[in-house]
Amino acid sequence: MAMILSCSDSRVPIELLFDVGFGDLFVIRNAGNAFTEGSLASIEYGLEALNIDLLVVLGHEGCGAVGAACSNQTNLSPSLSELVLHIRKALIDADVPLDPEQAVRRHPVLTAQQLIRSSQLVAERVKSSALTIEPACYTFDHGNIEWMGSIHDG
Ligand SMILES: [Zn+2]
């Protein structure tokens, strides 16, 4: 029924959060719910092969990857460093303060925008309203999902 690009964090169990089971969600996860070639390719598969019309990009409070991007952590492995720097650059380019509380809420929006910019398929589906992207942030305090506003057209 939907695709979810979320963080790998174990405190964000997607099927439990959305109260769904087998066969319901097409889930893509990585540290920091980030744009990567792999996440984009998986989303394109969901569009082409499964014709899914809803993508939720779900960040969360206390995200380690987004926190590292805000603090410019330097003791990371090369691959992780690349991912974190990518998140940091997206935040800086969008003038988002490097404050974890704000960054975890804005980063899902930035990831959604980058998916649209980087993929003709995603852009066309959004433009023709065949795909709605919903950036959101899961908060541990109240167990709420804060919705950041639909992206109908990038
Ligand atoms: Zn996270």
Side-chain angles (χ1 to χ4, degrees):
M1 63 175 88
M3 291 187 274
I4 316 278
L5 171 56
S6 77
C7 184
S8 301
D9 196 304
S10 63
R11 297 169 296 173
V12 190
I14 299 304
E15 277 80 2
L16 294 178
L17 276 185
F18 290 98
D19 195 22
V20 295
F22 292 89
D24 290 327
L25 296 177
F26 185 78
V27 180
I28 305 125
R29 304 182 74 160
N30 63 35
N33 42 277
F35 173 90
T36 65
E37 287 301 319
S39 57
L40 175 57
S42 301
I43 286 162
E44 288 183 335
Y45 177 82
L47 294 174
E48 291 262 42
L50 305 173
N51 218 22
I52 299 170
D53 62 4
L54 174 62
L55 166 63
V56 177
V57 181
L58 185 65
H60 68 98
E61 270 188 332
C63 183
V66 172
C70 290
S71 67
N72 202 15
Q73 219 167 307
T74 51
N75 58 338
L76 304 171
S77 70
S79 296
L80 186 53
S81 179
E82 189 182 330
L83 184 78
V84 165
L85 280 175
H86 183 87
I87 295 172
R88 184 177 176 85
K89 184 177 183 310
L91 293 168
I92 289 170
D93 287 351
D95 288 326
V96 177
L98 294 175
D99 161 59
E101 283 284 305
Q102 294 186 53
V104 294
R105 288 168 171 79
R106 286 296 307 283
H107 184 244
V109 178
L110 301 177
T111 299
Q113 290 168 344
Q114 184 154 18
L115 289 165
I116 293 168
R117 276 201 312 273
S118 306
S119 166
Q120 198 178 344
L121 176 62
V122 174
E124 281 170 1
R125 292 284 171 102
V126 169
K127 195 158 193 231
S128 65
S129 301
L131 173 66
T132 299
I133 306 182
E134 296 279 0
C137 181
Y138 178 65
T139 64
F140 296 125
D141 277 356
H142 305 99
N144 282 339
I145 295 174
E146 294 177 15
W147 299 94
M148 302 300 153
S150 305
I151 297 178
H152 301 288
D153 197 332

